Amino acid sequence: MHGFLWMPTPLAAVLLGWLAMALAMLALWEVQRRRGDASVVDAAWTAGLGLLAVAYAVALPGDPGRRLLIAALAGLWSARLAVHLVRDRVVGKPEDPRYREMRRQWGARAQVEFFWYFQAQALAAALFSVPFLLAMRDPRPFPGAADAVAVLVWLVAVGGEWLADAQLARFRADPANRGRTCRAGLWGWSRHPNYFFEWLHWWAYVPLALGVPWGWLALGGPAAMLYLLFRVTGIPKNEARALETRGDDYRDYQRRTSVFIPWPPRRVPRAG
């Protein structure tokens, strides 16, 4: 896998990745405008990250084995999560409640605001792709201890996220569970185990990136993901919606269950 002249530097790679994602998000914004449904943006963002990792592996210099490893890790993570999001939120489903609420709040300016929201996703994808690029450029011999650590963290993270998604899907598939809170498996130890393992995934690239100049920038992956989950689109909105729809059952769940890191549930008297 030899570098191409049209991507001569890491900075050029990120900028071109941003441009490609911006164009893709422009097309998807138009789809959103026609359909009145913005749910596709999450799956598109995830798929775009995997494609950027593959493009970096093909276009940039570095050990071929390590480039292949990172492209495989990022690509498989991306493919699994994107397919899950399409099945869970897009195909045959109404618009995600988060985007319905945003559409309601924005009113007549909704399309303009969604345009900038989609473009913000393009920029975020370019920035989140930086850990992939840095990890690929680790000059240490391949394979090495850092590669083994990266693979181990990736296996735990992606395996845990897959398991959490599967447990929740199985719970929701049972009509008897309508209106109830899932406490099955990992969901009995964390209110958001899928988010925890998604955050853990971003640590997989750090051991390799730290062997590169400016490699500390890879720490921005887990740091930014943690901020987004706790302050922007993740936990606060999901918990507010759960309290609206499940009331006291979810309040009891909050009292007993860790918000993020999987931990044995607390023993407290059930309310009521």
Side-chain angles (χ1 to χ4, degrees):
M1 293 187 290
H2 299 289
F4 293 127
L5 293 178
W6 53 273
M7 266 194 184
T9 67
L11 178 58
V14 173
L15 292 176
L16 285 169
W18 180 14
L19 176 61
M21 286 298 299
L23 293 173
M25 287 298 179
L26 175 61
L28 289 172
W29 171 79
E30 176 61 20
V31 172
Q32 172 278 143
R33 190 183 68 81
R34 293 174 181 271
R35 294 183 57 202
D37 187 339
S39 302
V40 70
V41 69
D42 298 320
W45 185 84
T46 304
L49 273 171
L51 292 173
L52 288 178
V54 172
Y56 295 160
V58 171
L60 294 177
D63 186 286
R66 183 161 288 118
R67 284 186 285 151
L68 180 60
L69 172 65
I70 299 304
L73 296 183
L76 289 171
W77 159 79
S78 167
R80 189 214 72 84
L81 184 55
V83 169
H84 168 72
L85 292 172
V86 167
R87 289 176 174 173
D88 188 60
R89 302 181 185 179
V90 180
V91 177
K93 302 294 188 352
E95 186 175 35
D96 187 290
R98 291 175 299 152
Y99 299 124
R100 288 204 304 268
E101 178 61 19
M102 290 162 68
R103 199 178 296 277
R104 185 192 66 79
Q105 291 179 351
W106 288 335
R109 288 186 51 80
Q111 290 308 322
V112 173
E113 297 291 348
F114 270 123
F115 172 84
W116 291 114
Y117 180 83
F118 274 57
Q119 288 305 307
Q121 300 303 305
L123 176 58
L127 295 176
F128 269 95
S129 74
V130 169
F132 305 152
L133 185 152
L134 291 171
M136 288 180 189
R137 295 175 65 81
D138 186 347
R140 290 172 290 186
F142 175 85
D147 300 286
V149 171
V151 171
L152 179 61
V153 173
W154 187 93
L155 287 171
V156 172
V158 175
E161 190 171 10
W162 171 83
L163 180 59
D165 288 339
Q167 289 171 339
L168 182 60
R170 187 160 51 246
F171 178 85
R172 288 176 172 173
D174 186 347
N177 292 326
R178 188 177 300 277
R180 297 173 56 201
T181 301
C182 179
R183 293 174 170 83
L186 292 168
W187 297 87
W189 285 48
S190 169
R191 303 204 295 272
H192 304 279
N194 53 339
Y195 287 165
F196 170 78
F197 287 109
E198 172 61 22
W199 169 76
L200 183 63
H201 159 258
W202 291 98
W203 284 99
Y205 311 100
V206 173
L208 293 168
L210 290 179
V212 180
W214 296 92
W216 57 268
L217 289 173
L219 292 168
M225 183 56 64
L226 194 68
Y227 175 79
L228 291 173
L229 291 175
F230 272 88
R231 298 296 182 187
V232 185
T233 63
I235 291 172
K237 291 182 182 296
N238 283 339
E239 297 245 320
R241 188 163 64 251
L243 287 169
E244 288 178 4
T245 57
R246 281 171 262 160
D248 289 339
D249 182 55
Y250 198 78
R251 292 185 184 90
D252 178 73
Y253 182 58
Q254 287 179 313
R255 286 193 293 270
R256 296 171 180 271
T257 313
S258 168
V259 65
F260 189 61
I261 299 174
W263 198 258
R266 293 183 289 275
R267 296 180 180 274
V268 297
R270 181 177 288 272

